[in-house]
Amino acid sequence: MGPRLFKAQGPPPTGSGERSPFWGLGVSPPSRLGLLLDLPPAPHEERLRHSWDPAQSSPNMTVGAEDRRTARRCPASSSSDCVRAGPGYREGLHVWEVVWPSGQRGSHAAVGVGTARARLQAPGYSALVGSDSESWGWELGRNQLYHGSKVPAPGTYPPSPGGPLPVPPSFLLILDADQGSLSFLVDGEYLGAAFTGLRGRTLYPMVSSVWGDSSITLTYINSVDREPPPTSLTCSSSPHPTSGALSSQSRLTL
């Protein structure tokens, strides 16, 4: 079964069958996201093209030569290390699955997006994604958002009266380059936009880790193109689809 939005009544399941702590914290998802998640995944070669880029990583991060979906941080003391993915995204709606085991995150595990100018390494331990003006990050342990080393809004993402929630090993990263937003889907709950105002930039998915021997797997799900103008504004009288999709051949099992 592929990734899905939670739409039924009752709590979304976790891997253990217990109620997810993210149950009820989601908001209504964009219609294009539902369309994308109903598609088969992109072909294997296409998924690899949108995976980690070994040329865009800290020296302490290694990426598999044949399977670029998994990046590993080598043990290194007093260092924060990043890796970027993909050819860069300036348009379209794109979704990736992130698999990052909870026990391999450490104190400053961050995931998000950045430009080609975002830092890939820094001394000490920090949530490097979101530490400068060129990146936007979600620190998983504290559920805190960062941009330019600043917290853009008080509280956690998603807002939770009880404080930070344990982010499961697998979740979805959603970049809408057309709308200029970054969001996440956890345990079937669409958490809404973590960041907006990103339109017009070429962005790359990123993670930063401080944990030795941590492995982070990034799997490209698929994308849909910008929505076309309404039929009444075009010369053709034939119906238009709500969005275009990349070709896909097989169903991804998560």
Side-chain angles (χ1 to χ4, degrees):
M1 180 178 180
R4 66 184 180 89
L5 288 164
F6 175 66
K7 299 177 181 178
Q9 296 296 320
T14 63
S16 64
E18 299 177 355
R19 191 178 84 170
S20 167
F22 288 85
W23 177 44
L25 299 180
V27 299
S28 297
S31 59
R32 284 203 304 162
L33 178 59
L35 172 65
L36 189 156
L37 295 181
D38 283 339
L39 293 172
H44 178 70
E45 291 302 319
E46 186 74 9
R47 281 188 264 164
L48 292 182
R49 191 172 74 88
H50 295 277
S51 299
W52 298 127
D53 185 349
Q56 300 190 72
S57 67
S58 160
N60 295 322
M61 300 289 285
T62 61
V63 177
E66 296 185 2
D67 187 351
R68 291 171 42 187
R69 291 180 298 173
T70 298
R72 174 179 172 269
R73 182 185 181 272
C74 302
S77 62
S78 192
S79 179
S80 300
D81 303 285
C82 283
V83 59
R84 283 195 288 261
Y89 307 90
R90 198 176 180 90
E91 59 185 20
L93 173 66
H94 305 266
V95 177
W96 293 261
E97 182 202 22
V98 180
V99 176
W100 194 343
S102 303
Q104 297 182 16
R105 294 177 182 170
S107 58
H108 295 84
V111 58
V113 297
T115 71
R117 295 183 295 274
R119 292 188 299 170
L120 295 174
Q121 185 182 21
Y125 298 126
S126 64
L128 196 51
V129 179
S131 67
D132 58 22
S133 62
E134 301 294 334
S135 60
W136 296 258
W138 183 31
E139 202 283 303
L140 301 180
R142 300 171 183 82
N143 296 171
Q144 189 64 69
L145 299 175
Y146 290 97
H147 172 57
S149 292
K150 298 179 181 179
V151 178
T156 61
Y157 172 86
S160 171
L165 301 173
V167 179
S170 171
F171 54 92
L172 300 187
L173 181 154
I174 303 158
L175 174 60
D176 190 336
D178 297 326
Q179 296 296 321
S181 67
L182 171 67
S183 55
F184 296 89
L185 190 149
V186 179
D187 284 339
E189 294 279 359
Y190 175 68
L191 302 182
F195 294 98
T196 58
L198 308 182
R199 189 174 179 180
R201 297 175 173 90
T202 299
L203 298 169
Y204 305 78
M206 297 179 66
V207 295
S208 64
S209 177
V210 301
W211 187 265
D213 283 325
S214 60
S215 294
I216 305 107
T217 299
L218 187 75
T219 301
Y220 189 65
I221 304 300
N222 215 323
S223 74
V224 293
D225 300 332
R226 183 192 299 272
E227 294 184 53
T231 304
S232 59
L233 300 181
T234 66
C235 297
S236 172
S237 60
S238 61
H240 289 257
T242 57
S243 64
L246 295 175
S247 63
S248 45
Q249 299 172 344
S250 61
R251 170 63 63 182
L252 174 68
T253 300
L254 300 180

